[in-house]
Amino acid sequence: KKTANISFSNRGKTLEDELNDSNEYYLSNNIAVIHKKPVPIQIVNVKYPARSAAVITEAYFRSPSTTDYNGVWKGLYIDFEAKETTSKTSFPLQNIHEHQVKHMKQVIEQDGLAFFIIKFTTIDRYFILFYEYFEKKWERMIAGGRKSITLAEMEEMSIEMQASFQPRLDYLAALENHLQSLL
Amino acid sequence: KKTANISFSNRGKTLEDELNDSNEYYLSNNIAVIHKKPVPIQIVNVKYPARSAAVITEAYFRSPSTTDYNGVWKGLYIDFEAKETTSKTSFPLQNIHEHQVKHMKQVIEQDGLAFFIIKFTTIDRYFILFYEYFEKKWERMIAGGRKSITLAEMEEMSIEMQASFQPRLDYLAALENHLQSLL
Ligand SMILES: [Mg+2]
Ligand SMILES: [Mg+2]
């Protein structure tokens, strides 16, 4: 049901939807080529029915060895992981896989750009957190410290961005502003 | 059965295996971060048995919208498609998807490196073909010309490389030599 009251609220859209929409916009406007990677699946059984497409009848989800999204933007290699949290006060580190962290570190070492896009769904706020900052908090956890990044820390370390209309989440504009400000 | 006569022949190894081995070598030696993308699957049905992992019971292969491999090497975005042919005389263009070609063009426009790694399995020869050269032959086909790239054309337009031991296919060294020669 459409209403005249168009809102940029996140209700009903997942962060993944919002990013896929944004990436489509970037692609069709020749701004960047960034895609979500397919979910890795281990295929155990496939049937080949006569006159129709092969059917996978047994398969299992595998844990990803890299991140959700990668691609190229103005010659820069872009690599990020998207995460939502319902918490209003902190971003939990538990559902980040160690091999994803390792992957991002490897990306940085090859002069790629690695970051998280984090959505606090309850308070409708979005942050871009560079791997270099994330790493400090990840290491704090490894050393026995807190298992999350507080909202205050997030505000201090990351780039906050607003959802908009087109593109839905202009994370490349946010990155560009930030990179410009460093010059 | 092991023999003393170690050969670098391709028998038994697919190009994909060879490239995966090479990428593992690159990764563990901090040379580059390049991964094969998972095969895209459309999941229709999933069962969640008590006390065990989710099982995908119905799914279908989707045609890939991008290429096989991508990643980052010394700040460069790398994107390629791997193809084998059993032909001794030409590389057929039929099994290349139009959306893969479009993707590679988009990558070039963002200053990424896009290419094919092509193995002539019968004659055991390997070529790196930059997208820019491939495109000419693709357009020839679109214009009604031949539906393949002849071996002679391949020799003229691409970088030939030899299989070796470690890494199995040192395509980044081959690229580096070529890029150096352009300076
Ligand atoms: Mg994610
Ligand atoms: Mg392939």
Side-chain angles (χ1 to χ4, degrees):
Chain A
K1 204 175 81 179
K2 283 188 187 170
T3 73
N5 179 16
I6 292 171
S7 149
F8 294 146
S9 151
N10 67 318
R11 309 285 178 261
K13 276 218 168 189
T14 65
L15 177 57
E16 187 176 318
D17 290 335
E18 295 175 296
L19 288 168
N20 292 344
D21 288 356
S22 305
N23 289 337
E24 250 177 61
Y25 176 87
Y26 289 149
L27 193 61
S28 57
N29 289 279
N30 299 314
I31 293 168
V33 183
I34 298 170
H35 289 276
K36 181 159 198 310
K37 289 179 214 163
V39 177
I41 300 285
Q42 182 173 16
I43 297 170
V44 175
N45 245 305
V46 184
K47 278 187 186 154
Y48 299 91
R51 279 182 296 276
S52 58
V55 190
I56 298 161
T57 57
E58 185 185 354
Y60 299 90
F61 295 101
R62 294 167 54 181
S63 62
S65 52
T66 64
T67 43
D68 289 334
Y69 295 88
N70 77 353
V72 60
W73 169 54
K74 296 184 183 177
L76 285 173
Y77 174 79
I78 299 292
D79 195 303
F80 65 93
E81 178 66 27
K83 290 282 179 206
E84 290 185 341
T85 179
T86 55
S87 166
K88 292 176 196 175
T89 54
S90 69
F91 173 66
L93 299 174
Q94 289 105 288
N95 57 349
I96 293 168
H97 298 287
E98 203 184 323
H99 40 253
Q100 292 181 316
V101 177
K102 195 178 167 193
H103 169 72
M104 292 175 106
K105 197 183 177 73
Q106 291 166 331
V107 165
I108 296 296
E109 285 167 2
Q110 289 299 324
D111 293 329
L113 232 55
F115 51 90
F116 291 83
I117 294 183
I118 295 162
K119 179 179 183 179
F120 284 74
T121 57
T122 312
I123 55 176
D124 213 2
R125 292 178 70 181
Y126 301 83
F127 298 94
I128 301 173
L129 179 62
F130 282 108
Y131 172 76
E132 291 85 339
Y133 293 101
F134 165 85
E135 191 181 51
K136 295 181 209 299
K137 303 308 174 191
W138 180 262
E139 282 170 358
R140 175 175 68 183
M141 179 183 71
I142 304 288
R146 60 178 300 146
K147 295 181 175 57
S148 66
I149 299 175
T150 68
L151 181 60
E153 289 170 337
M154 192 68 80
E155 288 169 338
E156 198 194 309
M157 298 189 303
S158 69
I159 308 169
E160 183 160 9
M161 65 178 163
Q162 313 298 326
S164 181
F165 184 58
Q166 226 181 8
R168 175 69 189 173
L169 282 180
D170 201 353
Y171 62 93
L172 292 178
L175 280 178
E176 181 143 50
N177 284 338
H178 178 76
L179 296 173
Q180 293 281 349
S181 76
L182 297 179
L183 296 180
Chain B
K1 202 173 83 182
K2 283 191 185 169
T3 72
N5 180 16
I6 292 170
S7 150
F8 292 147
S9 153
N10 67 320
R11 310 282 178 265
K13 276 218 169 188
T14 64
L15 177 58
E16 187 177 318
D17 289 335
E18 295 177 297
L19 288 167
N20 291 344
D21 288 356
S22 305
N23 289 337
E24 250 177 62
Y25 175 87
Y26 289 148
L27 193 61
S28 56
N29 289 278
N30 299 313
I31 294 168
V33 183
I34 298 169
H35 289 275
K36 181 161 197 314
K37 288 177 215 165
V39 177
I41 301 284
Q42 183 173 14
I43 298 170
V44 175
N45 244 307
V46 183
K47 279 187 185 153
Y48 299 89
R51 277 182 298 277
S52 54
V55 189
I56 298 160
T57 57
E58 185 185 354
Y60 299 89
F61 295 102
R62 295 168 54 181
S63 62
S65 53
T66 65
T67 44
D68 290 333
Y69 294 88
N70 77 353
V72 60
W73 169 54
K74 294 184 183 178
L76 286 172
Y77 174 78
I78 299 292
D79 195 302
F80 65 95
E81 178 66 28
K83 289 284 181 206
E84 290 185 341
T85 179
T86 55
S87 165
K88 291 176 196 176
T89 54
S90 70
F91 173 66
L93 298 174
Q94 291 102 290
N95 56 349
I96 294 168
H97 298 287
E98 205 185 322
H99 40 254
Q100 291 181 317
V101 176
K102 196 177 168 196
H103 169 73
M104 292 175 105
K105 197 181 178 73
Q106 291 165 331
V107 165
I108 296 298
E109 284 166 2
Q110 289 299 324
D111 293 328
L113 233 53
F115 52 90
F116 290 84
I117 294 183
I118 294 163
K119 179 180 184 178
F120 284 75
T121 57
T122 311
I123 55 176
D124 213 0
R125 292 178 69 179
Y126 301 83
F127 297 94
I128 300 173
L129 179 63
F130 281 108
Y131 172 76
E132 290 86 339
Y133 292 102
F134 165 86
E135 191 182 51
K136 294 180 210 298
K137 304 308 175 191
W138 181 261
E139 283 170 356
R140 177 175 67 183
M141 180 183 72
I142 304 288
R146 59 178 302 146
K147 295 182 174 59
S148 65
I149 300 175
T150 67
L151 183 59
E153 289 171 337
M154 192 67 81
E155 288 169 340
E156 198 193 311
M157 297 189 305
S158 69
I159 309 169
E160 184 162 7
M161 65 178 163
Q162 313 298 326
S164 179
F165 184 58
Q166 226 181 10
R168 174 69 189 174
L169 283 181
D170 200 352
Y171 63 93
L172 292 178
L175 281 177
E176 182 143 52
N177 284 337
H178 177 75
L179 297 173
Q180 292 281 348
S181 75
L182 298 179
L183 297 180

